[in-house]
Amino acid sequence: MAKICRFFEKVLFAVSLSLAIVLAYSASSMAHFQMILPSDDIIEEGESNEIDLQIIFTHPAEAHYTMNMEKPLKFGVFHKKKTQDLTDGLKDFEFHGAKSWKSKFVAKGGGDFVFYLVPRPYYEDMEQTYITQYTKLVVNNAGFPTDWDAELGLDAEIVPLCKPYGLWTGNAFQGMVKHKGKAVPFAEIEVERLNAGAFSDLVCPGQRYPSSAHVTQVIKADDNGIFTYGIPKAGWWGFAALMEGEKIDGKDHEVGAVIWVRAYDME
């Protein structure tokens, strides 16, 4: 009987170890998204023009998979053809046990404020790959469209082809993927919705997924680097176009162009 018990203990240990390895691999292979999240995306008349911004590197559907971020190389805003560097104003904070960054910004004047982020490359040990995601977000003040389609000259960039704010559920969002200033034919784009069940401080209904295949949508751009995605539900949506970058220390380097948009239900 003792031998049988020891045998089943070994079997159970082997099964548990295998499951742990599978879960660890699954967690590492889920989509990484660099996020810039504002306290408001459209500032209306009478609202405060001070915006809180959080910079987090995570898996939007499951925030407990959040990675430590070193201080970004550059964080700034583009408004009416002028660029303002906001990097020095960044302060670190802890989000789900991981180092993240935050800032405040006062939007002076009407129009579009295009926030952009150049992070330091992140080394994903499980995949032995460096990841750098150049990220954009547009906040509008007073309803005047000015710079939403501006191309900022980032190493990797999604240039929106439709206004990336004031979107209704069901709208099609379009963008062009560029790398080093050139369109990327047939670029692969990962799409995820921010699951506010994990980000409870954001006004955005939580989401349960019927299967793991539903968590990250994958689409491809056409031969001109243009992609289209019909937004099925209200909330924050992230688009991450992934491409191969130059190796770092002999390791593979995944370069991403990311943009965040928010859709609303029509009442």
Side-chain angles (χ1 to χ4, degrees):
M1 180 63 70
K3 289 182 178 180
I4 294 175
C5 289
R6 285 196 296 271
F7 171 76
F8 279 110
E9 285 176 359
K10 290 179 180 179
V11 171
L12 182 60
F13 175 77
V15 171
S16 301
L17 180 61
S18 298
L19 181 59
I21 291 171
V22 169
L23 290 174
Y25 178 79
S26 298
S28 69
S29 61
M30 287 187 296
H32 297 71
F33 275 78
Q34 182 67 69
M35 299 195 303
I36 306 174
L37 292 178
S39 54
D40 198 358
D41 61 320
I42 301 174
I43 302 170
E44 295 280 67
E45 185 177 353
E47 294 182 342
S48 172
N49 63 345
E50 184 177 77
I51 307 165
D52 292 318
L53 298 148
Q54 292 185 339
I55 300 172
I56 304 167
F57 191 38
T58 188
H59 301 199
E62 296 179 287
H64 52 283
Y65 294 116
T66 298
M67 288 67 72
N68 283 310
M69 278 189 68
E70 295 183 51
K71 187 172 183 179
L73 291 172
K74 185 174 289 186
F75 177 60
V77 64
F78 182 84
H79 175 63
K80 294 185 177 178
K81 304 187 185 304
K82 293 182 179 179
T83 300
Q84 183 179 352
D85 192 337
L86 307 175
T87 312
D88 289 343
L90 289 173
K91 296 182 179 179
D92 64 283
F93 75 105
E94 188 175 285
F95 181 83
H96 281 258
K99 190 174 184 178
S100 304
W101 299 86
K102 62 183 180 180
S103 181
K104 288 184 180 292
F105 179 78
V106 178
K108 297 179 180 179
D112 299 323
F113 293 81
V114 186
F115 294 94
Y116 63 91
L117 173 70
V118 180
R120 296 179 187 275
Y122 171 84
Y123 184 65
E124 177 54 74
D125 189 57
M126 290 291 293
E127 300 173 14
Q128 296 189 357
T129 300
Y130 282 95
I131 300 172
T132 307
Q133 293 190 347
Y134 300 83
T135 306
K136 291 167 60 176
L137 165 83
V138 181
V139 173
N140 178 263
N141 188 16
F144 302 108
T146 55
D147 306 283
W148 61 265
D149 57 348
E151 186 173 344
L152 303 184
L154 301 175
D155 189 66
E157 185 169 4
I158 291 177
V159 180
L161 299 181
C162 61
K163 202 167 61 175
Y165 56 87
L167 295 168
W168 294 115
T169 303
N171 277 167
F173 178 69
Q174 273 195 325
M176 176 183 287
V177 181
K178 289 198 166 186
H179 186 206
K180 298 186 182 300
K182 296 182 179 179
V184 182
F186 310 112
E188 182 175 285
I189 301 100
E190 294 181 336
V191 185
E192 277 201 21
R193 179 179 180 271
L194 178 65
N195 185 352
F199 295 77
S200 57
D201 58 325
L202 296 176
V203 182
C204 176
Q207 176 66 53
R208 291 185 177 181
Y209 299 95
S211 74
S212 59
H214 288 81
V215 175
T216 306
Q217 305 284 294
V218 180
I219 58 178
K220 296 196 79 171
D222 64 14
D223 56 352
N224 293 310
I226 296 172
F227 68 89
T228 304
Y229 184 81
I231 301 176
K233 189 176 179 71
W236 282 104
W237 290 85
F239 297 83
L242 307 177
M243 56 209 83
E244 187 176 335
E246 297 177 2
K247 289 183 180 292
I248 299 177
D249 298 330
K251 303 286 187 179
D252 289 339
H253 182 201
E254 178 187 274
V255 172
V258 180
I259 192 168
W260 283 88
V261 305
R262 188 176 186 179
Y264 291 79
D265 286 332
M266 184 179 289
E267 297 181 358

